[in-house]
Amino acid sequence: MIHTIYIEEEIRDHPRTLRICQRFPNARTIYCERYTSVFNNNSQNFRLQKKNPALILAKKHQKYVLPTPAGYGVGSERNFYFSHMLNCLYDCRYCFLQGMYRSANYLIFVNYEDFFEEITNTASASTEDSWFFSGYDCDSLAMDPVTDFMPTALEYFSNHPKSYLEIRTKSTQIRSLLNHEAMPNCVVAFSFSPNNTYKKLEHGVPDINKRIRAMKKLQNNGWRLGLRLDPVIYSPTLQADYESLLENIFQSIDAKLLHSVSYGMFRLPKPFYKKMIRLYPEEKLFSLPLTEHDAQVSFEQTTELSSLETVHTALLKYVEEKIIFPCR
Amino acid sequence: MINLIAATRAEADPVIAALKLKRISTNFDLYQHDHIQLIISGMGKCNVATACGWLANRTFNEEAAGATSVAWLNFGIAGHATHELGSAYIAHKITDLATGELWYPHQFSNNLPSSELTTVDTPLLDYLPDQLHDMEASSFIKATRIFSDAELVQCIKVVSDNRTNPLSAVNAKFANSLITNSVEMIIQQAEQLETLSNTIPQPETRLFNLLHSRWHFSASQTTQLRRLLQRYAALLDSAENIPEPLQQKTSSKDVLNWLKGQVDRADISL
Ligand code: SF4
């Protein structure tokens, strides 16, 4: 429940600002010059804010679209991401957002059209297809009833067939997708962890079976689906955990219709990892014997390689090698 | 732990009485009971900054309070052009009129009405539109955010004057009665803030102190020791006493090696 909404003066009368505020008639509204005064100040504490985050409505002025880090794509050469929102409704303990931001407030940039304009410019710089990933700094769908971003995004991408949209999510908020005709240039990518990781680390995330049901509904409606197994977190029962998860998913989902599967080991940039230890010193995950390699903190390389191989082998039982993409 | 800051005795007295605080220092007017401290800073930005700095030093000093996470609440009277006398507000935006600096204290609920609050160096001839006026809050928030997380620093003000009831009519007795009427709410806010502050995990200190006093650790070994004990607590156990196998160790290096061996061999299922 949102109890406080910070609004930048510049967009106080923007139609999306007014619509979002209407959803929360009892929330306190506080106007500010720039969102940076309330988001990411030095002395803010992510863990404390996460207990009761506020909503911030702001205008983004630059860098709407950025190249993805290497190894993020699913087969294309031209990969970009954009974030109309920062932070997430859920609270996965491994989430890098905790290390990246000091604030857990939900920040929504209401000038969606500026994102699409830059997407157009980025795509038109090449004749090749371009992929645009949503859900890098947030969950793409979890807050969609509030942001109402998807209907606008789907409309845009349905008119730009050479631009591909990936909607990455752990949410079951699929109404805006079901209300729209399925699009060949859009992939709805669902992220999963095995049940024990889900239970211990993915706080507030919808139940695994509910997410599988949401996937099935979308697949029945013609939507292309992706499966994302990232982060893989080592466990002595890793093989059985992933075999059981995949069996559960592919009992409902037609593997032959799947667009892509990607997986990647749990990894964090060292400064993020250090910050997350300070926030959650009691968290077992951050006390496991992790090591630093390739500028990231992760499991030691032999554990990493064998874990990824296990996941890869488990996937081959259901999907073809050519749609599996390891993330580094 | 919670630190309460009031500018004057008239404002502080009702809270001191309600919480049964006892005077514990003569350097500053400092009162305490258990995990609650209250300081009377004196009026104005300079006085409050000095008081907060002094109190922070005392609070985090292991020989005194030895706290690791502290919440701060500034309470007192303030003026407002139109708000009713005696009405209470939590500050959601604090501006320093002289410097233009501003802060947005994190709002955890909307149970209490909130307001903008502007800190002035000297009383103004007229009120600024739709904001409270005081003489301490900006300095309080600036000073205390150095020592504590921003979410743990809050201000509550009770309206003492407005356009129809001028500041010149406010005396100590009236200030005291305004705070007396709001004392329950002030204490409730203080308790909520303290509860929040207590959710911040405290570092393991007992075992650390035991080990640190028995063996000599260099500065870098001390850092390693803290991290190993933290991992030990997360993966194995929050040991209160020195684990038996460590009793035989003859050097700090052996202690660290033993702890590292334990945490690296721990069961790593989540
Ligand atoms: S769903 Fe994704 S973005 Fe949200 S907390 Fe979990 S990992 Fe982070």
Side-chain angles (χ1 to χ4, degrees):
Chain A
M1 186 54 193
I2 300 294
H3 56 83
T4 301
I5 307 179
Y6 294 95
I7 304 170
E8 277 187 355
E9 289 286 357
E10 193 183 350
I11 49 106
R12 68 186 292 162
D13 297 320
H14 190 288
R16 286 193 190 103
T17 304
L18 301 176
R19 190 191 53 74
I20 292 171
C21 288
Q22 263 175 15
R23 279 188 69 94
F24 305 104
N26 298 323
R28 157 181 301 166
T29 50
I30 300 169
Y31 294 97
C32 58
E33 277 290 308
R34 289 289 288 136
Y35 74 86
T36 42
S37 326
V38 264
F39 188 83
N40 246 8
N41 284 333
N42 269 348
S43 57
Q44 288 180 329
N45 179 310
F46 191 98
R47 182 172 180 164
L48 291 178
Q49 288 202 357
K50 193 72 191 171
K51 290 178 190 300
N52 217 345
L55 186 64
I56 305 171
L57 304 179
K59 179 173 176 179
K60 194 167 171 73
H61 291 270
Q62 54 174 344
K63 297 188 177 162
Y64 304 98
V65 177
L66 293 165
T68 59
Y72 193 79
V74 279
S76 160
E77 289 297 310
R78 289 175 50 77
N79 299 309
F80 305 91
Y81 74 94
F82 63 93
S83 300
H84 67 287
M85 180 174 171
L86 307 183
N87 275 331
C88 182
L89 191 62
Y90 309 137
D91 189 18
C92 303
R93 192 55 61 243
Y94 53 70
C95 181
F96 79 108
L97 295 174
Q98 304 162 115
M100 190 149 82
Y101 302 128
R102 288 179 177 276
S103 173
N105 288 335
Y106 309 128
L107 171 57
I108 299 171
F109 297 113
V110 297
N111 51 325
Y112 302 162
E113 290 71 17
D114 292 328
F115 286 86
F116 298 128
E117 196 180 315
E118 193 154 317
I119 289 173
T120 305
N121 295 339
T122 309
S124 62
S126 165
T127 51
E128 281 177 50
D129 292 344
S130 304
W131 277 76
F132 296 93
F133 293 83
S134 154
Y136 189 78
D137 294 313
C138 65
D139 183 286
S140 299
L141 294 179
M143 294 278 279
D144 203 46
V146 175
T147 64
D148 209 25
F149 178 75
M150 273 308 141
T152 324
L154 297 179
E155 198 50 45
Y156 170 84
F157 280 93
S158 59
N159 292 318
H160 294 81
K162 284 188 74 61
S163 294
Y164 283 73
L165 171 66
E166 179 184 294
I167 301 167
R168 192 169 292 199
T169 190
K170 285 196 186 90
S171 164
T172 54
Q173 297 286 355
I174 53 170
R175 189 173 306 162
S176 52
L177 295 166
L178 294 176
N179 286 342
H180 198 282
E181 214 170 294
M183 293 155 45
N185 60 332
C186 176
V187 171
V188 191
F190 283 81
S191 300
F192 288 93
S193 297
N195 197 38
N196 52 354
T197 307
Y198 161 69
K199 288 231 160 89
K200 295 211 167 99
L201 300 178
E202 296 182 348
H203 310 296
V205 171
D207 178 76
I208 291 178
N209 289 323
K210 280 194 184 141
R211 280 181 276 155
I212 296 174
R213 282 203 290 278
M215 285 178 90
K216 192 173 165 59
K217 270 193 203 158
L218 289 171
Q219 198 171 58
N220 290 344
N221 278 261
W223 286 92
R224 304 174 83 187
L225 298 181
L227 177 62
R228 306 289 172 252
L229 307 174
D230 191 359
V232 171
I233 293 173
Y234 174 77
S235 133
T237 55
L238 186 100
Q239 185 176 347
D241 295 345
Y242 274 92
E243 282 173 357
S244 149
L245 172 70
L246 295 177
E247 190 185 339
N248 193 6
I249 292 171
F250 291 114
Q251 261 167 16
S252 301
I253 303 305
D254 186 346
K256 284 192 234 52
L257 296 177
L258 217 52
H259 170 270
S260 53
V261 183
S262 66
Y263 63 82
M265 201 67 190
F266 168 70
R267 62 213 176 277
L268 285 168
K270 193 169 181 191
F272 290 12
Y273 171 67
K274 282 175 123 179
K275 227 158 132 188
M276 287 155 77
I277 295 173
R278 276 203 298 276
L279 285 176
Y280 297 96
E282 75 282 22
E283 176 55 59
K284 206 170 172 187
L285 174 65
F286 304 138
S287 285
L288 298 179
L290 304 174
T291 60
E292 199 181 334
H293 53 90
D294 306 327
Q296 306 268 350
V297 173
S298 184
F299 288 90
E300 61 156 23
Q301 270 172 311
T302 46
T303 310
E304 178 171 325
L305 288 175
S306 70
S307 303
L308 294 179
E309 200 178 307
T310 304
V311 174
H312 194 96
T313 308
L315 280 167
L316 287 175
K317 191 173 163 197
Y318 301 96
V319 295
E320 286 185 67
E321 178 100 45
K322 67 176 186 211
I323 67 157
I324 304 178
F325 300 93
C327 303
R328 302 251 169 251
Chain B
M1 169 157 266
I2 175 112
N3 286 339
L4 306 172
I5 286 86
T8 64
R9 170 161 301 286
E11 293 160 294
D13 271 347
V15 177
I16 291 173
L19 292 171
K20 300 187 173 59
L21 306 180
K22 295 271 172 303
R23 185 162 183 168
I24 56 161
S25 168
T26 45
N27 292 342
F28 260 101
D29 263 344
L30 178 68
Y31 296 78
Q32 186 182 19
H33 179 68
D34 269 357
H35 40 93
I36 304 169
Q37 301 187 108
L38 184 150
I39 196 165
I40 302 174
S41 63
M43 284 167 70
K45 289 181 348 190
C46 220
N47 280 331
V48 82
T50 312
C52 289
W54 181 83
L55 185 55
N57 184 32
R58 192 187 178 284
T59 307
F60 293 108
N61 179 338
E62 290 194 10
E63 261 105 71
T68 50
S69 169
V70 179
W72 302 76
L73 180 66
N74 167 226
F75 67 92
I77 56 168
H80 190 283
T82 53
H83 283 338
E84 206 179 313
L85 297 191
S87 54
Y89 298 86
I90 190 151
H92 64 230
K93 177 181 178 183
I94 297 173
T95 308
D96 187 296
L97 191 66
T99 64
E101 287 172 280
L102 49 90
W103 298 263
Y104 291 85
H106 188 78
Q107 304 293 300
F108 279 96
S109 72
N110 48 9
N111 299 342
L112 200 68
S114 72
S115 171
E116 284 191 37
L117 168 60
T118 294
T119 298
V120 297
D121 291 346
T122 49
L124 300 178
L125 290 177
D126 192 13
Y127 298 90
L128 298 166
D130 205 21
Q131 45 202 298
L132 294 161
H133 304 68
D134 85 337
M135 296 179 73
E136 290 85 24
S138 65
S139 181
F140 160 77
I141 197 163
K142 189 170 181 174
T144 51
R145 277 192 178 191
I146 295 169
F147 306 110
S148 291
D149 292 319
E151 296 74 17
L152 299 176
V153 177
Q154 302 284 346
C155 283
I156 289 181
K157 298 287 162 173
V158 180
V159 176
S160 57
D161 52 279
N162 55 29
R163 283 207 178 111
T164 45
N165 303 276
L167 178 62
S168 55
V170 179
N171 57 26
K173 197 173 161 205
F174 184 55
N176 184 287
S177 72
L178 289 171
I179 300 296
T180 302
N181 292 340
S182 289
V183 77
E184 256 180 54
M185 179 275 297
I186 291 169
I187 291 172
Q188 210 175 27
Q189 290 296 316
E191 282 169 357
Q192 280 174 16
L193 259 187
E194 197 198 359
T195 307
L196 187 70
S197 148
N198 290 340
T199 63
I200 294 179
Q202 307 300 307
E204 153 63 58
T205 51
R206 188 180 145 78
L207 187 55
F208 173 82
N209 289 338
L210 284 172
L211 297 174
H212 207 253
S213 58
R214 180 146 163 203
W215 287 277
H216 173 74
F217 292 86
S218 68
S220 78
Q221 283 181 322
T222 302
T223 309
Q224 286 176 52
L225 178 64
R226 282 193 200 281
R227 174 68 178 133
L228 284 168
L229 287 177
Q230 183 203 322
R231 290 181 64 200
Y232 190 87
L235 294 171
L236 294 149
D237 186 15
S238 318
E240 283 274 300
N241 297 310
I242 297 179
E244 194 48 44
L246 274 184
Q247 303 282 3
Q248 332 300 334
K249 304 295 174 200
T250 51
S251 71
S252 51
K253 199 172 158 202
D254 289 345
V255 171
L256 294 174
N257 282 341
W258 184 84
L259 284 168
K260 185 159 174 10
Q262 294 299 302
V263 292
D264 283 350
R265 277 196 301 275
D267 169 22
I268 64 170
S269 47
L270 286 173

